[in-house]
Amino acid sequence: MSLRLSTATKLTPEQAIERAARYFEDEFGLAVAWRSPVSARFEGGGGHVQVSTAAAPSGAEVELETMEWEIQVRQFAADLPR
């Protein structure tokens, strides 16, 4: 199963990627496949999480795509500061 979702946050794109790294890499042990200041891809457990951000007037738009990590991606998106 795969999932794509989009949400807004008051974080900057760079802060959103840093938060994603702490969440998916540190908390769940996913490996960083690649990372830039505004996007990252984490892999492990038979799936992946890809996070892309874009600057918005009040912070950032965050797009998430995943396979096998749907619950964690939904939780990450819900926990982003609005």
Side-chain angles (χ1 to χ4, degrees):
M1 180 180 212
S2 65
L3 170 73
R4 290 185 75 143
L5 64 87
S6 174
T7 190
T9 180
K10 66 181 182 179
L11 299 176
T12 66
E14 294 82 2
Q15 290 170 325
I17 294 300
E18 183 59 38
R19 183 174 275 216
R22 285 194 312 268
Y23 188 76
F24 294 110
E25 184 180 7
D26 296 348
E27 191 166 332
F28 293 103
L30 299 182
V32 177
W34 51 263
R35 182 175 170 184
S36 79
V38 296
S39 63
R41 182 178 175 100
F42 308 95
E43 297 178 341
H48 72 274
V49 175
Q50 189 163 313
V51 184
S52 302
T53 63
S58 60
E61 287 292 325
V62 180
E63 291 190 14
L64 298 128
E65 177 185 316
T66 186
M67 181 171 281
E68 299 299 329
W69 293 94
E70 292 85 2
I71 293 169
Q72 293 81 3
V73 165
R74 287 182 195 277
Q75 188 63 54
F76 175 78
D79 290 344
L80 286 173
R82 305 282 185 257

